């Protein structure tokens, strides 16, 4: 059963209380969010956090136990064929039909799409220097990934769901793929992509959804990241932080001067400010004789790695 | 040519060649067989085989050809082909990890499954009809005459049994992920059924009773389909296809 697309829902992904359990394992706890229209949203989380289950549920490959998902205004019903007509999905699993030739495989992947999508996919694959006349069994891991990516990017659909599209690619190919994702999002597509490469997410996504143990634990957009960054100050004290007792004393002094939090990360102390103006603390610190002279000062930067560490309490790789 | 169509044509051609390769020498051997039927009867080690020879003798060339084409070739190789074509139909996708890709396109699961069932079913059934249709021409080389209609009716009867085996295996393929295990299990089952047919006291329990020489001879004689057998066999196929659709709708790739 299909439904008409209302203007307000065009290009959006709306999820309400979507959940899925496999036997006694809860792969996805009731999850709700809304993204789009347009832009790149990154889905982040450690392995087994439920990213792929969520993506598969959105396109009807896995039937949710509860909840409602609506893509481009069309509710996910039955096996999700109507939803898949409005979006493309590039799976994270990389098993292709090895006996097919590259060009033939693209046509197979694009069954049910508009006919000229094949020509666009072929053009994209040629730009990536994929050997389309060769059989897929001769393809490297990265080539197979690019073939799937081309098939996901070629159709004219408002939504694309890409499960680790750059996994296993060399840096130049990864850059090429990110360029295409950014260009597509700039043209109005809504892209939900998962990745373990924080650098590429930093570069192209406007919003981040963090998942952990099947739950959506945090949602950050670029403005909230900027607001958090405005309260982060880093002081590089060099070798003065090498001795643990000395490092602890410096942190205690900064807290006494009004910092909301202070932790040592390598040569630097990362300070959480109480306000988004660093000047009072910097003034107090420069006047304090018990603090060493900093070798460097950084303000207003929040790396995705820190955000990841914030959410999961572990260092991002 | 589309990959799926090419693959289907290749399988159909391969099975048809095998069936025809068995049929041609069998037909050409007919005069020799007819002249030595008594001697051959003495060589048969068990009663069921002797009865088969008697049936050949009574029905002439038509009975002999039916025995060779349907009871021997189609019931053994045809069943094996049906099982092998169906075992990997869905389980093969799961086994090699391509199921997610197969299902991720904007095509309904119902359509994908019915297409897969139909293409495999054609691979099983078409060669039976095609090779049976060559019988009237082949028997002219041994100065015999057999009409096309009874051969096609026998092919339809045989196909209903092969489709039942095919659909049952297809169902197990839809719910399983190990095509080798499914194929092996179903082959063992069909071999067991065929062996049961050859045991005098158990022969009435064998599924192959539904497609044995007397039944084909009766079809040739009456020139009518045995609907009392064909319809229930087709119903079995329909039930298994329905069960496959139900299971496939809920299957996780």
């Amino acid at each position: 059963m299909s439904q008409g697309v209302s203007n307000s829902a065009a290009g959006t992904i709306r999820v309400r209380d979507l959940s899925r359990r496999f036997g006694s394992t809860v792969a996805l706890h009731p999850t709700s969010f809304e993204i789009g229209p347009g832009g790149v949203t990154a889905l982040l989380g450690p392995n087994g956090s439920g990213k792929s289950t969520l993506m598969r549920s959105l396109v009807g490959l896995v039937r949710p136990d509860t909840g409602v998902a609506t893509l481009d205004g069309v509710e996910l019903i039955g096996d999700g064929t109507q939803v898949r007509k409005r979006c493309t999905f590039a799976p994270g699993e990389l098993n292709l039909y090895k006996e097919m030739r590259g060009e033939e495989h693209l046509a197979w992947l694009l069954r049910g799409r508009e006919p000229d999508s094949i020509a666009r996919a072929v053009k994209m694959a040629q730009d990536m220097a994929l050997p389309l006349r060769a059989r897929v069994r001769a393809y490297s891991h990265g080539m197979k990934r690019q073939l799937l990516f081309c098939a996901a990017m070629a159709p004219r659909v408002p939504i694309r769901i890409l499960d680790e599209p750059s996994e296993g690619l060399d840096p130049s190919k990864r850059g090429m793929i990110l360029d295409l994702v950014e260009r597509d999002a700039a043209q109005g597509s809504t892209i939900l992509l998962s990745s373990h490469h924080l650098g590429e997410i930093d570069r192209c996504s406007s919003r981040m959804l963090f998942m952990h143990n099947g739950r959506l634990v945090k949602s950050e957009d670029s403005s909230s990241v900027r607001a958090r960054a405005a309260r982060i100050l880093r002081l590089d004290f060099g070798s003065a932080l090498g001795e643990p007792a000395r490092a602890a004393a410096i942190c205690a002094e900064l807290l006494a001067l009004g910092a909301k939090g202070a932790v040592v990360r390598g040569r630097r102390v990362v300070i959480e400010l109480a306000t988004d103006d660093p000047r009072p603390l910097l003034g107090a610190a420069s006047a304090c004789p018990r603090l060493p002279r900093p070798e460097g000062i950084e303000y207003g930067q929040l790396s995705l790695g820190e955000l990841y560490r914030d959410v999961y309490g572990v260092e991002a790789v | 040519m589309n990959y799926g169509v090419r693959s289907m044509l290749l399988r159909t051609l391969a099975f048809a060649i095998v069936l025809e390769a068995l049929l041609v020498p069998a037909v050409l051997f007919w005069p020799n067989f007819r002249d030595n039927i008594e001697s051959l009867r003495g060589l048969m080690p068990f009663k069921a085989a002797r009865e088969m020879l008697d049936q050949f003798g009574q029905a002439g060339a038509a009975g002999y050809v039916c025995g060779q084409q349907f009871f021997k070739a189609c019931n053994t190789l045809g069943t094996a082909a049906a099982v092998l074509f169906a075992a990997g139909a869905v389980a093969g996708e799961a086994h090699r990890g391509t199921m997610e890709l197969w299902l991720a396109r904007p095509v309904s699961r119902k359509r994908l499954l019915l297409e897969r069932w139909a293409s495999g079913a054609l691979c099983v059934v078409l060669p039976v009809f095609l090779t049976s249709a060559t019988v009237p021409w082949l028997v002219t080389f041994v100065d015999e005459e057999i009409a096309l209609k009874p051969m096609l009716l026998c092919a339809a009867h045989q196909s209903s049994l092969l489709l039942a085996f095919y659909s049952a295996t297809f169902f197990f393929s839809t719910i399983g992920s190990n095509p080798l295990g499914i194929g092996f299990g179903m082959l063992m089952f069909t071999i067991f059924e065929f062996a049961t047919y050859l045991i005098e006291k158990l022969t009435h329990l064998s599924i192959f009773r539904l497609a044995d020489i007397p039944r084909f001879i009766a079809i040739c004689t009456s020139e009518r389909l045995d609907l009392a057998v064909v319809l229930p066999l087709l119903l079995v196929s329909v039930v298994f296809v329905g069960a496959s659709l139900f299971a496939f709708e809920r299957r996780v790739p």
Side-chain angles (χ1 to χ4, degrees), chain A residues 20 56 60-61 63 79 81 84-85 89 91 93 95-97 99-100 104 108-109 111-113 148, chain B residues 1 3 6 93 96-98 100-109 111-112 115 249 251-253:
Chain A
R20 173 70 199 205
R56 288 170 178 174
L61 291 178
R63 280 187 184 225
D79 71 359
T81 309
R84 287 197 300 279
K85 283 182 179 168
F89 173 60
E93 295 289 330
N95 296 302
L96 304 183
Y97 293 88
E99 62 276 21
M100 285 193 205
E104 196 176 25
W108 184 92
L109 286 164
R111 184 183 165 190
R113 305 291 180 192
L148 278 185
Chain B
M1 190 190 292
Y3 169 76
R6 194 174 65 222
E93 301 285 349
R96 58 179 173 177
T98 47
E100 195 170 20
L101 273 189
W102 187 40
L103 300 179
R105 299 171 300 166
V107 183
S108 73
R109 288 191 180 202
R111 184 169 176 174
L112 286 175
E115 280 178 357
E249 283 291 322
R251 178 155 187 163
V252 175

Side-chain angles (χ1 to χ4, degrees), chain B residues 38-89:
Chain B
E38 273 311 312
S39 319
L40 287 169
R41 194 177 188 284
L43 292 173
M44 290 294 115
F46 50 91
K47 196 180 167 194
R50 283 193 292 277
E51 282 176 1
M52 255 182 253
L53 276 179
D54 290 341
Q55 289 156 1
F56 285 161
Q58 287 156 16
Y64 170 79
V65 169
C66 283
Q68 292 289 345
Q69 165 72 347
F70 301 113
F71 183 73
K72 189 188 84 180
C74 291
N75 274 349
T76 53
L77 284 177
T79 305
V83 166
L84 292 178
F85 291 163

Side-chain angles (χ1 to χ4, degrees), chain A residues 3 9 12-16 58 68-76 83 159:
Chain A
Q3 297 174 357
T12 60
I13 301 177
R14 290 175 177 168
V15 173
R16 199 174 67 239
L58 289 178
V68 180
T70 309
L71 281 82
D72 194 37
V74 173
E75 191 177 319
L76 178 69
V83 159
I159 297 170

Side-chain angles (χ1 to χ4, degrees), chain B residues 118-177:
Chain B
S119 66
L122 279 176
C123 294
V124 175
V125 167
L126 264 183
V128 175
F129 276 92
L130 290 175
T131 54
S132 301
T134 65
V135 167
W137 173 70
L138 278 177
V139 292
T140 59
F141 290 95
V142 289
D143 300 324
E144 293 283 356
E145 205 174 300
I146 296 176
L148 179 63
K149 186 183 174 188
M151 282 299 108
L152 294 183
L153 289 174
C154 288
H157 184 95
Q158 179 69 60
S159 297
S160 66
L161 179 68
L162 294 182
L163 278 182
F165 280 129
Y166 172 80
S167 302
T169 314
F170 191 87
F171 168 71
F172 292 119
S173 182
T174 306
I175 58 173
S177 302

